[in-house]
Amino acid sequence: MHPEIGTGKTPENLIPVHIMGTRYMVPPSLPIMAAMEYAGYRLLRGCGCRRGLRRACGTAYRIHGDPQLFSGLACQTVVQSGMYLAQIPFFPARRASYDLTKLEPSAVALFGAYPQLLRCLGCGACTKACPQDIDVRAYMAAGMKGDIQRMADLSFDCIMCGLCAARCPAEEAQYNIALLARRLTGRYLVPRSAHLEERLEEIRRGDFDADLAELKSLSKQELTARYSAREIEPEDRLGSRED
Amino acid sequence: MSGYPTAMQASISRVEATRGRRLRETFPAVSLEERQQVLDDFHPDYIEENMRPVRVGVSKGQRMPLELADVLEGRPHIGANFDLTASAGSTDVVIIGGGGAGAAAALLAQEHGARVTLVTKLRFGDANTMMAQGGIQAADRPEDSPAIHYLDVVGGGHFTNDPDLVEALVKDAPLIVAWLESLGVMFDKQADGTMVERHGGGTSRMRMHSARDYTGAEIMRTLRDEVRNREADITVVEFSPAVELVLDESGCAVGAVVVNLETNAYSFLGASAVVLATGGGGRLHYQGFPTTNHYGATADGVVLAYRVGAPLGYLESMQYHPTGAAFPEQIVGLLVTEKVRSLGAQPVNKLGEQFVYPLEPRDVEAAAFIRECQERDKGILTSSGQRGVWLDSPMVEAIHGQGTIQRNLPAMVRQFDRFGIDIAQEPILVYPTLHYQNGGIRTRPDGSTAVPGLFLAGEISGGVHGHNRLMGNSLREITVFGRRAGRSAAV
């Protein structure tokens, strides 16, 4: 058992769940992943960051008496009484291979790599499945209109678990298409930073080499003095730099 | 409705009562002497009974956490009579580890003409890189310079850093931001393209670049996608940890023995060079601390390299991130990004008082939290017996305007919302959590080691951060040294 999952206490009212077909009694406060460990599973596949940031632990489940099929991340979804659980360690959706440097940031690039994008039915099963609460249908709609930047923005929180693709009746690979949209946006559609370009030129010219060589040669005492005398740039507290 | 029990809400009221005053006053940073005092008294690295010298190998006698010494002295998976003809093939460069450092190394090795096989214990991209939320440092504003970045790094590291490694780190930093952008990473920018940059703990200039609070995820998914685009030259093998490195008669690294976790089959993967990019060891839970680290971070690479004679360094020094979640119990130890403090949130005690400058280097900040809870008994106690201090996140909204938290910290909002806590309205309870291995295997600026043919990149290496890493220098480190190691291994 993992030290993180809060054992060592008397489990309160245990509830029944079915993991890969077998019934176990587990504490109701645990996320699915911790409940599997409680039941004695040693997790190999289907376990990653344990905090909802990776796509390693997609899980499909039904609840006894309910005809619906649900999905979620095993590290984030808390168990419920009568759950029937199956792990989906990855979903084998199509991924296009491309040379980003040869693409243009236009709808043609998206449709060229993923022609099935235009088959989206707009049914919203993807949005309903998304454990990140991303409106997948909305970013797919943006993509179909060729609005790459909007697709990138709306999909930004995607962790690429693949649950959208798993539920899609049109067999889209939404998360892979959105990744291409973001890469096109980052490379081509966002304005360059003038200050970064200048800095690269200064580094190429060797402008900082003498300063760095000097710092490297200083004794600990001299470095300490320089460090303590640093001026701290004031935080830009009024009016965020961002907005 | 609050997700906090009534007892904790009473303390939250005191935090709210002092917030107006605290918005105008920040607790001052302490002197270097005072920093050392709080470290000596309260930092886990300084608790002698939890440390011991390693008893074998080239760095015999080096002090480190008990749990790490145990794995370094552990028994090997395979015996000396292992049959190396059980071959999994051969390639030019074997990269062990599928995080950001391994991916960067794979790309550069491929660009320099090598055929690459990347093997990883779990899945490609299942790594701490994916979870690094706060940002990546690069001195690219006119007010800043690589030299100022250098000074911040060595000061944060208590002046014990390897100067050549730090020089490489700070000088490559702006180049890497440009490289990542060329691969399509979406950094936070203003409308005219100016980078949005903030302070992090121990920075004297605002140089923290970010991609919302998914900075590491954005970098990892982009690098991984690019590796997959080059599948003609780069083979990725998942669920196949390396269990031993192999040297030839002259002592050069010529491959690794890997095991398929599904079939338990062991095989030898031969190569002209090996890059280790296996990350750190937070999942060894040193001193019983919870950790922010991903499931696979068990110091594997440190053991592999040490067993073939690569010296260790700085492993007496672990980084305890000051702000691990301390409530609710389900997420104890998980990372609350430093960006919350970068955006203006202050740590305060149960009485609503400030007790430390919010952006001290991480070790000092963490030790100050422990002191507040232990010596001064001004921490907040949860029903499960966990202590913590408040991180006053609603200040972020007061300073930068309503909606800032949702816009800048969507991952954090989601994490706490599941438990009925709105971090824009209520503070977050935090306590130090095991975060990063400052030390590791000794390396040079080109990623090479004392063992010919063996290169390193990322958290497995020791020296660049000295005895304490600053926020935003690990995403920096994995990209700088991932690239350097990949290039060196290929040529």
Side-chain angles (χ1 to χ4, degrees), chain A residues 4, chain B residues 282 285-286 288-292 320 325 332-334 386 432-435:
Chain A
E4 219 172 59
Chain B
H285 292 281
Y286 304 126
F289 267 82
T291 185
T292 61
Y320 295 82
V332 167
L334 297 183
Q386 170 75 43
T433 179
L434 183 55
H435 189 54

Side-chain angles (χ1 to χ4, degrees), chain B residues 135-418:
Chain B
I136 178 164
Q137 287 200 39
D140 61 6
R141 293 163 57 236
E143 299 87 339
D144 198 1
S145 82
I148 301 173
H149 190 182
Y150 183 102
L151 209 47
D152 286 348
V153 172
V154 297
H158 308 295
F159 307 101
T160 56
N161 317 54
D162 180 324
D164 293 332
L165 296 178
V166 182
E167 181 185 33
L169 184 84
V170 300
K171 220 171 126 178
D172 279 9
L175 305 168
I176 299 258
V177 171
W179 177 65
L180 290 172
E181 269 206 298
S182 77
L183 291 171
V185 168
M186 289 170 61
F187 286 109
D188 295 336
K189 286 182 164 187
Q190 294 174 349
D192 68 352
T194 303
M195 292 279 178
V196 174
E197 300 183 40
R198 299 189 183 282
H199 272 302
T203 59
S204 65
R205 295 290 185 279
M206 292 191 278
R207 72 169 76 89
M208 197 67 62
H209 299 62
S210 55
R212 304 189 196 175
D213 61 347
Y214 287 96
T215 311
E218 168 69 352
I219 290 172
M220 187 70 242
R221 66 195 179 192
T222 302
L223 293 178
R224 180 177 59 204
D225 193 54
E226 189 55 28
V227 166
R228 288 176 174 164
N229 277 343
R230 303 184 192 178
E231 63 195 346
D233 303 314
I234 307 176
T235 304
V236 176
V237 184
E238 299 182 328
F239 292 100
S240 295
V243 295
E244 203 80 90
L245 298 181
V246 178
L247 306 184
D248 67 9
E249 294 80 359
S250 63
C252 292
V254 291
V257 174
V258 297
V259 57
N260 179 327
L261 282 182
E262 303 290 358
T263 62
N264 260 337
Y266 288 77
S267 53
F268 171 60
L269 184 55
S272 321
V274 177
V275 178
L276 274 176
T278 49
R283 286 284 167 185
L284 296 181
H285 292 281
Y286 304 126
Q287 304 193 29
F289 267 82
T291 185
T292 61
N293 283 192
H294 84 98
Y295 195 53
T298 50
D300 303 15
V302 173
V303 177
L304 292 175
Y306 194 55
R307 288 178 55 77
V308 294
L312 308 170
Y314 305 85
L315 278 169
E316 72 278 24
S317 163
M318 297 294 160
Q319 181 162 83
Y320 295 82
H321 194 293
T323 55
F327 184 88
E329 199 191 343
Q330 290 95 322
I331 57 168
V332 167
L334 297 183
L335 181 66
V336 175
T337 171
E338 189 162 321
K339 194 173 175 190
V340 184
R341 280 175 289 139
S342 293
L343 286 164
Q346 295 163 345
V348 292
N349 63 23
K350 67 179 175 187
L351 304 174
E353 304 161 340
Q354 292 187 73
F355 57 90
V356 63
Y357 177 62
L359 289 171
E360 294 284 5
R362 284 179 171 169
D363 53 352
V364 176
E365 191 84 9
F369 285 16
I370 295 172
R371 177 179 64 191
E372 199 68 12
C373 291
Q374 289 183 359
E375 186 186 58
R376 298 176 177 171
D377 194 23
K378 288 185 180 172
I380 297 89
L381 186 66
T382 72
S383 53
S384 66
Q386 170 75 43
R387 274 174 206 281
V389 298
W390 294 115
L391 180 60
D392 195 12
S393 47
M395 291 180 72
V396 173
E397 303 264 296
I399 295 167
H400 299 288
Q402 210 177 350
T404 307
I405 286 190
Q406 178 59 49
R407 211 164 43 249
N408 286 279
L409 303 164
M412 291 293 318
V413 169
R414 190 166 280 135
Q415 189 74 57
F416 283 91
D417 182 59
R418 289 194 299 125

Side-chain angles (χ1 to χ4, degrees), chain B residues 65-87:
Chain B
L66 304 177
E67 298 86 349
L68 182 57
D70 288 348
V71 297
L72 282 171
E73 295 164 2
R75 307 293 303 169
H77 272 248
I78 56 171
N81 56 355
F82 179 80
D83 180 10
L84 288 175
T85 61
S87 174

